[in-house]
Amino acid sequence: MNESAEPALVSLRGASFGYEEGPLVLSGLDFEVREGRALALLGRNGSGKTTLMRLLSGGLRPHAGRLSVEGRPVTYDRAGLTRLRTTVQLVVQDPDDQLFAASVAQDVSFGPLNLGLPDPEVRSRVEEALAALDIAALADRPTHLLSYGQRKRTAIAGAVAMRPRVLILDEPTAGLDPDGQERLLATLDRLREGGTTVVMATHDVDLALRWSDDAALLTPSGVHTGPTASTLARTDLLGPAGLRLPWGVAAARLLCARGLLADPAAGPRTAEELAALAD
């Protein structure tokens, strides 16, 4: 974990959870989300990524351990969960599991309305969220007529309308074409610039290397978190996490071996950065 004098924005300490009549999915887990750091969460299927995200967002309650926001333990009464959900929002992988209203604007307004906000404030939040996700023109579009990428953006806009400090996304680029992925990543960059801390669960190590500041690898021995480039270079962790070496890390090692790069952590994260090194 990253060391800091300030408490983590969101943290789990000694958290354990298992589903009914099943083994523990997570046991004694310590995990934290630091404000302002883009965090990629990686691990093999069944490693507990979805469970961890639902624990962080209050959708599940740990059987042991505690969830805290800025050092204050979360209570699971109405007031405590409202406080948590105005701090942390989770967007699931399949937008069809999250969208249910007749139109885009109605769907995005659901969370703010549930907070009991006055109508002018709800309208302001909806307009702000639609603009942030570049879907303002779709406000009145029926949700069942949206493309897959538009549904993804609408689901994220619904979370953004809650103005969370932490936005957790489960495989947000899955199912998107390359242009859709680039547009979504640009949107996430804008949200980060506006002060939102973003956590992304992904299987794509190349995307994690390119996008994130820190990487958290879920392995059978626990979660291992650190700066992305160095963490994704650890083959002793990648294997147990069911992951391969990112091409950028392999390229950095080759460049260092040939005396073309002094620090492997400064290696290319995108094809464009690799091309620039070759110039």
Side-chain angles (χ1 to χ4, degrees):
M1 289 295 170
N2 298 321
E3 297 295 331
S4 173
E6 295 294 325
L9 182 50
V10 182
S11 64
L12 282 165
R13 293 286 179 260
S16 298
F17 185 86
Y19 295 95
E20 187 175 356
E21 298 182 0
L24 287 177
V25 178
L26 300 172
S27 178
L29 183 79
D30 290 334
F31 187 82
E32 60 187 32
V33 177
R34 289 279 167 189
E35 191 162 22
R37 303 286 290 178
L39 176 63
L41 177 62
L42 305 102
R44 66 173 69 247
N45 289 338
S47 62
K49 297 191 301 299
T50 298
T51 299
L52 173 55
M53 289 185 288
R54 292 191 179 279
L55 288 171
L56 291 170
S57 62
L60 297 175
R61 182 172 182 172
H63 296 167
R66 72 179 188 275
L67 173 67
S68 300
V69 174
E70 292 185 305
R72 292 174 53 194
V74 170
T75 59
Y76 289 84
D77 54 14
R78 183 179 179 86
L81 288 174
T82 297
R83 172 175 173 259
L84 175 62
R85 288 166 184 163
T86 55
T87 303
V88 182
Q89 280 287 303
L90 168 65
V91 180
V92 299
Q93 180 176 348
D94 187 346
D96 294 330
D97 290 338
Q98 201 153 332
L99 303 180
F100 60 89
S103 73
V104 169
Q106 288 174 345
D107 207 281
V108 174
S109 70
F110 178 78
L113 284 170
N114 266 4
L115 293 177
L117 298 174
D119 287 346
E121 174 67 10
V122 172
R123 286 195 296 271
S124 175
R125 289 193 179 210
V126 170
E127 291 171 1
E128 178 185 283
L130 294 178
L133 274 295
D134 195 25
I135 53 173
L138 303 177
D140 297 323
R141 181 79 60 85
T143 52
H144 71 275
L145 295 180
L146 299 174
S147 70
Y148 185 77
Q150 290 168 339
R151 296 201 302 277
K152 282 256 189 183
R153 286 176 172 270
T154 300
I156 296 172
V160 169
M162 297 289 285
R163 293 182 181 168
R165 296 172 67 185
V166 179
L167 180 63
I168 303 175
L169 305 171
D170 187 3
E171 296 281 352
T173 61
L176 297 180
D177 60 28
D179 179 67
Q181 291 185 29
E182 292 302 319
R183 293 178 61 199
L184 179 58
L185 292 175
T187 297
L188 297 183
D189 287 343
R190 290 195 297 272
L191 291 173
R192 290 182 60 200
E193 289 167 2
T196 304
T197 297
V198 181
V199 178
M200 179 195 295
T202 181
H203 288 103
D204 189 338
V205 291
D206 297 321
L207 172 61
L209 180 65
R210 165 190 173 180
W211 173 81
S212 63
D213 301 312
D214 300 314
L217 305 185
L218 274 173
T219 73
S221 64
V223 63
H224 304 269
T225 305
T228 299
S230 58
T231 301
L232 293 184
R234 291 189 56 180
T235 53
D236 61 315
L237 296 179
L238 292 174
L243 303 168
R244 61 171 176 79
L245 193 71
W247 73 263
V249 172
R253 290 180 176 177
L254 178 61
L255 291 168
C256 287
R258 297 194 174 184
L260 300 174
L261 187 68
D263 180 5
R269 295 192 176 208
T270 65
E272 291 77 12
E273 289 181 5
L274 179 60
L277 288 172
D279 289 342

